[in-house]
Amino acid sequence: MINIIRYTVGVLKTNCYLIEDLKTGKIAMVDPGGSSKDLNIKVEECKNKIEYILLTHGHFDHIKAVRKYKDITGAKLVAYRGEENLILNPDLNLSARYVSRRGLDKFKIDILLSDLDTIMLGETKITLIHTPGHTAGSCCYIVDGNIISGDTLFRGDIGRTDLATGSQNDILKSLKRLSNLEGDYRVFPGHGEETTLNFERCNNNYLKS
C-alpha cells in the first residue's frame, strides 16, 4: 500500500509527488521542479525516509530543485537511461533560457534504468516504462495501480513535442502503449489534475485515436 501526496511547485506549476510505502515509511520524491513552503516542511520532517528522487524527464521545470533536495536527504537520483544528456545539458533542459545562463546547480544521476526495470521502495515495486515523445527519454513510473505520467499524459491532453528531442510520432506510440495496459490506473501527471486511464481512454482524443 502506498500514499501519494502532490505539491505544486515552480513557475510552470509542476506537480512534485511524494510516494510513501505505508508499511516501511520509505518515500520517493518525483520531479522536484521547484520548492514550496509545504514541501520544505514535509521534506524536513521526512528527510531520513526519502530514499529516491525519480525523474520523468529532464526539463528544468521538473529538475530545478534536485540539487537542493539531494543535499537535504541524501536520496539517490533515478532517471531513464538515455535521458541523462538532456538532464545535464542546460541548453537542452531549457534552464539556460529560463533559469540562468549557466543552468542549474550541478548534481549526479545515481541510478539509470532501462525500460521495465524496477526499484524497490520499502516493500513497494516501482517500474519504469519508457514513453518517448515529450522528450526522447521521457518515462512513466507504475506503482501499485498508479501511473506517474510526467509530461506524457495529462487529463484530456498530452505533452508538447516541439522541444529538443521531442517527437509527435513517438508520443502517440507511447500513449498507445499506456492505453494497452490491462485494467484501470490512477494517473498522476506532471501538470494539472489527476485522472484515470479509463477516463483518458474514453475522453482523450489522443488515446482514442
Side-chain angles (χ1 to χ4, degrees):
M1 293 287 292
I2 63 167
N3 184 42
I4 299 176
I5 307 173
R6 181 183 72 173
Y7 297 88
T8 303
V9 299
V11 294
L12 297 185
K13 298 183 178 179
T14 303
N15 290 331
C16 173
Y17 297 102
L18 296 183
I19 305 170
E20 181 183 9
D21 174 65
L22 293 177
K23 189 157 188 180
T24 64
K26 300 297 185 181
I27 295 172
M29 174 184 282
V30 183
D31 286 355
S35 59
S36 71
K37 180 179 178 180
D38 288 343
L39 178 58
N40 288 339
I41 291 171
K42 184 67 173 179
V43 168
E44 191 62 33
E45 289 175 352
C46 303
K47 61 185 179 183
N48 294 327
K49 298 179 180 179
I50 299 176
E51 291 196 330
Y52 300 110
I53 297 173
L54 311 178
L55 299 182
T56 63
H57 66 288
H59 284 149
F60 81 98
D61 59 313
H62 291 252
I63 67 171
K64 186 179 177 184
V66 163
R67 174 64 184 274
K68 172 181 177 175
Y69 291 123
K70 272 180 66 72
D71 287 350
I72 292 172
T73 66
K76 294 182 178 180
L77 183 63
V78 180
Y80 174 73
R81 184 181 303 277
E83 184 75 346
E84 60 266 36
N85 185 45
L86 189 145
I87 291 169
L88 299 175
N89 186 315
D91 293 314
L92 294 179
N93 68 33
L94 304 177
S95 61
R97 183 188 305 178
Y98 294 110
V99 180
S100 73
R101 290 182 181 178
R102 64 179 179 82
L104 302 172
D105 292 335
K106 302 299 182 182
F107 53 80
K108 174 187 174 185
I109 303 172
D110 302 291
I111 301 172
L112 291 170
L113 299 179
S114 299
D115 185 43
L116 299 181
D117 281 351
T118 64
I119 58 172
M120 294 301 297
L121 179 69
E123 298 188 2
T124 297
K125 181 168 70 173
I126 300 176
T127 302
L128 181 150
I129 179 170
H130 182 212
T131 53
H134 180 62
T135 66
S138 286
C139 67
C140 300
Y141 295 96
I142 298 178
V143 49
D144 198 21
N146 305 279
I147 301 173
I148 312 297
S149 63
D151 286 5
T152 298
L153 176 62
F154 302 133
R155 181 178 175 89
D157 206 351
I158 63 173
R160 61 189 294 182
T161 58
D162 59 334
L163 300 172
T165 79
S167 166
Q168 184 77 0
N169 286 335
D170 284 350
I171 205 169
L172 292 176
K173 292 176 184 177
S174 296
L175 293 166
K176 183 175 182 180
R177 186 180 186 191
L178 292 178
S179 183
N180 286 340
L181 293 172
E182 292 186 8
D184 196 14
Y185 290 79
R186 291 176 71 189
V187 178
F188 295 85
H191 303 271
E193 297 301 316
E194 74 173 81
T195 183
T196 68
L197 193 55
N198 274 348
F199 180 88
E200 300 309 313
R201 287 169 176 145
C202 296
N203 297 282
N204 189 320
N205 288 331
Y206 293 99
L207 269 71
K208 290 166 65 176
S209 63

